[in-house]
Amino acid sequence: MSGGRNAGPDANGEADGPGSREGAAGREAPHGGDAFPPRSLRDYALVADGERGALLGPLGEYVWMCAPRWDSGAVFASLIGGRGGYALAPAGRFVWGGYYEDRSLVWRSRWITRDDGVVECREALAFPGEPHRAVLLRRVLPPERPVALRAVLEPAADFGEHALRGLERDAHGCWQGRAGGLWLRWSGAVGDARPAAGRRLELDLTAEPGRSYDLVLEIADRPLDGAPPDPEQAWRATREAWRSAVPVLDGVLAPRDARHAYAVMRGLTGPAGMVAAATTSLPERAEEGRNYDYRYVWIRDQCYAGQAVAAAGAHPLLDDAVRFVTARLAEDGAGLRPAYTVDGRPIPDQRRLDLPGYPGGFDLVGNQVSGQFQLDAFGECLLLLAAAARHDRLDGDGWRAALAAAEAVEKRWREPDAGIWELAPRHWTHSRLICAAGLRALAGAGVPARQAAHWRALADTVVAAADDDGRHPSGRWQRAPDDPRPDAALLFPALRGALPAGDPRSTATLDAYLAELAEDHFAYRFRHDDRPLAHAEGAFVMCGFAVAMAEHQRGRTGSAYRWFERNRAACGPAGLYAEEYDTAQREMRGNLPQAFVHALMLEASARLAQEGPPG
């Protein structure tokens, strides 16, 4: 994977357009995985509307999109070796770039051609999304000189299993077809498009100065009746909706990047909850079997997002997080699952797809996490709900959910659990201490004095138990009674208020972590074995932001800023974060984008901007 542009741009960063026939006169244009080869994760941008998202590469190629919702089968699956993609780019050679319009997930692809100058294309999913229909907007902006573009549309439903069929022109001049159980319609400047091989459409388009060109793709799970969307209205509504959804975020560090982190989380958040990532099966480590499906809502990740937003202000994503967590606690109580589908159902069992996979990995859908008990999730729920209460954003249902979470902690805190890293059940020290932090936060959120005293006493009991069997002889916290190693997770209890930041156990934990699990201002979760840290797994970007906040809490402001800036840069041109960062190859690893990393980046940007150490 080193070098990052597999079968794409050449050594000079140049590329040919999608389906190019240059040097191969008369040869059929490539399709499927051949036309849309995998690239370094840093090269991809995301467009999303809350209901689903799509990854876009430098050749203007959409290589991943599930429809109609996040955990549906992919209609563009070439990212993981399936069929399906949708590309638009200059027909000749070009170098590429791009950027997001501020406070949105509207992406601008920008190509500099060899002969025709600069051409830009706006890319977005119409926002906010509809549950049964995705509307993918592309607008080629007026170029300075005429420029030839080529488009290839080859959808294939259910991870490439069902190709496009039944292509025909309708009364509006649009192309319509079916793929599996999906209906598709392509409208706009598609009059000269031509079917190819019965399963795709190709279009050669010459963009002239002085006018723009719209391509609108609708994908739905029911017939597309009526007229197609008006592009001008769709673009205007999308831009206005994004401006309304993403706050300005004054008073934080790196405000544009903080707004972008918020926009990413908003794009991943639908009416029910926020998915952990847009993708499945992108490997965290090549050929080691660490491939997972993250297209679901993790309780912990949802709580991280809400707490991060609360640190920056009482913004709508806080309410979204509270709504999902409240509903799940109301339904499941002490039986709360670690993760759910976006509509609150259990996640389906894990199964393999018969696809080649992203290089270094293999393909999975579903997740085994539903069978786990994760004690710390209750503590995170309490922290989220207490943060909402401090902003006066907690209604009666929210308070009842907080009570349910607190009662679950009281009932189950002595049980072994899978912990934050979803490992074999143990009495993980982090899980207990985060529950104590949540109980303290709830006690300080305006509950009656008698109840507050009860929750504080329970928190003291939980901390005392952790101190009995989870404290290392050196005075720091250790992972579990039978595991003396340090762990990045053990930085969070002090950040969340389980015990004071100046507590000797907290300071000893941070010092030991920096000495044993940090390299060059990158953070690692824990030591797997005797290999160098970076050989066992990538740096955990979320943990890097946690260290920045821990250093700030200790009053070491300069160090905190260095940690923040180092990890803020662990992304690609689109500013998206994956779960891990390969520090040797400067590559992103794991599913993309990883919501909790954007959450911790936002929280760190807010907390480091505060005067003096927080807490």
Side-chain angles (χ1 to χ4, degrees):
M1 291 299 296
S2 180
R5 289 178 172 79
N6 309 346
D10 65 15
N12 296 316
E14 294 185 337
D16 294 317
S20 174
R21 294 192 178 100
E22 183 173 272
R27 186 176 62 196
E28 183 181 350
H31 57 272
D34 295 330
F36 312 110
R39 304 183 183 280
S40 166
L41 296 183
R42 67 188 177 204
D43 288 345
Y44 290 114
L46 170 80
V47 298
D49 63 8
E51 299 281 355
R52 79 284 294 170
L55 289 190
L56 172 68
L59 298 187
E61 75 274 34
Y62 284 100
V63 297
W64 180 256
M65 181 177 170
C66 297
R69 57 185 231 170
W70 292 106
D71 57 356
S72 300
V75 67
F76 305 143
S78 58
L79 178 71
I80 60 171
R83 298 186 66 87
Y86 176 25
L88 171 68
R93 296 181 70 77
F94 59 85
V95 292
W96 63 274
Y99 59 95
Y100 283 106
E101 296 179 8
D102 194 19
R103 294 171 60 192
S104 78
L105 287 186
V106 176
W107 176 258
R108 286 206 183 196
S109 296
R110 190 173 191 272
W111 302 296
I112 304 175
T113 68
R114 183 172 57 187
D115 302 316
D116 302 319
V118 177
V119 61
E120 291 191 356
C121 182
R122 296 181 81 198
E123 316 267 4
L125 277 163
F127 180 76
E130 303 173 17
H132 298 287
R133 181 182 67 146
V135 181
L136 191 54
L137 303 172
R138 312 190 82 158
R139 170 170 284 181
V140 179
L141 301 178
E144 296 177 355
R145 299 191 296 272
V147 57
L149 300 159
R150 166 163 291 187
V152 176
L153 172 61
E154 186 179 354
D158 295 325
F159 303 102
E161 184 176 347
H162 301 291
L164 185 63
R165 68 183 192 278
L167 274 172
E168 61 181 7
R169 299 289 289 270
D170 65 14
H172 302 283
C174 311
W175 285 98
Q176 291 217 34
R178 297 287 307 278
L182 300 176
W183 282 259
L184 299 99
R185 178 165 60 183
W186 201 25
S187 61
V190 299
D192 294 329
R194 57 192 180 275
R199 58 177 175 250
R200 68 179 182 274
L201 287 163
E202 298 178 356
L203 172 67
D204 292 313
L205 174 69
T206 299
E208 300 285 351
R211 62 167 294 192
S212 58
Y213 299 80
D214 287 295
L215 301 177
V216 180
L217 176 63
E218 299 166 81
I219 305 173
D221 61 359
R222 54 197 59 189
L224 291 163
D225 300 322
D230 176 79
E232 192 63 42
Q233 292 180 4
W235 275 113
R236 182 169 57 251
T238 294
R239 186 57 182 156
E240 290 173 357
W242 273 115
R243 298 290 287 186
S244 175
V246 181
V248 175
L249 294 178
D250 290 328
V252 302
L253 289 185
R256 185 180 177 98
D257 283 358
R259 289 192 294 270
H260 180 50
Y262 190 105
V264 170
M265 290 191 292
R266 177 60 187 89
L268 296 174
T269 301
M274 180 192 74
V275 294
T279 59
T280 179
S281 305
L282 300 184
E284 297 173 5
R285 202 72 180 171
E287 310 297 346
E288 290 193 7
R290 289 166 51 193
N291 303 35
Y292 308 102
D293 187 354
Y294 284 174
R295 300 172 299 149
Y296 307 105
V297 186
W298 262 254
I299 292 293
R300 182 188 303 105
D301 300 25
Q302 186 71 88
C303 293
Y304 282 172
Q307 292 176 70
V309 171
H315 302 298
L317 278 181
L318 172 59
D319 300 328
D320 293 332
V322 168
R323 183 170 57 251
F324 185 86
V325 167
T326 294
R328 302 286 68 75
L329 283 167
E331 183 170 338
D332 293 338
L336 183 75
R337 298 173 185 269
Y340 296 82
T341 64
V342 290
D343 54 1
R345 294 179 294 108
I347 295 174
D349 289 339
Q350 186 171 282
R351 64 182 176 88
R352 289 284 296 267
L353 296 176
D354 186 20
L355 295 175
Y358 186 86
F362 54 86
D363 293 326
L364 294 170
V365 293
N367 199 289
Q368 303 291 8
V369 72
S370 289
Q372 295 182 0
F373 166 52
Q374 295 181 11
L375 174 65
D376 70 297
F378 291 105
E380 297 294 351
C381 289
L382 289 171
L383 288 163
L384 167 67
L385 297 172
R390 290 194 297 271
H391 284 292
D392 196 24
R393 310 285 281 202
L394 204 60
D395 61 12
D397 288 341
W399 280 111
R400 284 187 285 275
L403 182 62
E407 290 175 345
V409 171
E410 188 166 27
K411 177 181 179 181
R412 305 194 66 179
W413 71 267
R414 296 177 180 84
E415 298 179 30
D417 77 303
I420 184 174
W421 308 132
E422 300 178 353
L423 303 172
R426 281 179 173 174
H427 288 105
W428 297 105
T429 304
H430 163 266
S431 295
R432 292 183 174 188
L433 293 178
I434 282 297
C435 286
L439 291 167
R440 296 196 198 285
L442 181 63
V447 300
R450 183 175 179 179
Q451 199 169 48
H454 176 70
W455 299 137
R456 289 192 180 100
L458 179 58
D460 290 342
T461 299
V462 173
V463 171
D467 188 75
D468 285 342
D469 58 18
R471 183 157 59 94
H472 192 267
S474 66
R476 62 166 173 82
W477 297 113
Q478 64 183 42
R479 301 183 78 207
D482 57 348
D483 188 340
R485 292 174 292 172
D487 191 309
L490 295 170
L491 303 179
F492 283 93
L495 289 174
R496 301 303 187 217
L499 60 168
D503 185 287
R505 293 165 293 186
S506 299
T507 58
T509 298
L510 177 57
D511 290 342
Y513 178 84
L514 293 173
E516 297 185 40
L517 293 173
E519 287 183 353
D520 199 18
H521 291 91
F522 285 114
Y524 295 84
R525 293 185 299 167
F526 53 86
R527 186 170 289 281
H528 291 259
D529 46 41
D530 293 334
R531 289 177 293 173
L533 289 170
H535 290 193
E537 70 174 7
F540 234 68
V541 186
M542 176 191 79
C543 298
F545 290 122
V547 176
M549 290 188 286
E551 287 286 78
H552 180 247
Q553 190 179 50
R554 286 276 294 274
R556 301 196 289 224
T557 305
S559 176
Y561 284 7
R562 284 192 290 273
W563 274 95
F564 177 77
E565 293 298 342
R566 185 62 152 159
N567 287 271
R568 182 163 74 106
C571 59
L576 302 178
Y577 296 107
E579 189 170 35
E580 298 182 18
Y581 187 73
D582 185 325
T583 59
Q585 300 186 64
R586 300 179 187 268
E587 293 282 4
M588 298 152 60
R589 304 293 186 210
N591 284 306
L592 184 76
Q594 191 75 37
F596 63 48
V597 183
H598 293 82
L600 269 291
M601 184 275 164
L602 173 61
E603 182 176 359
S605 73
R607 296 206 183 280
L608 267 63
Q610 298 171 0
E611 292 186 9

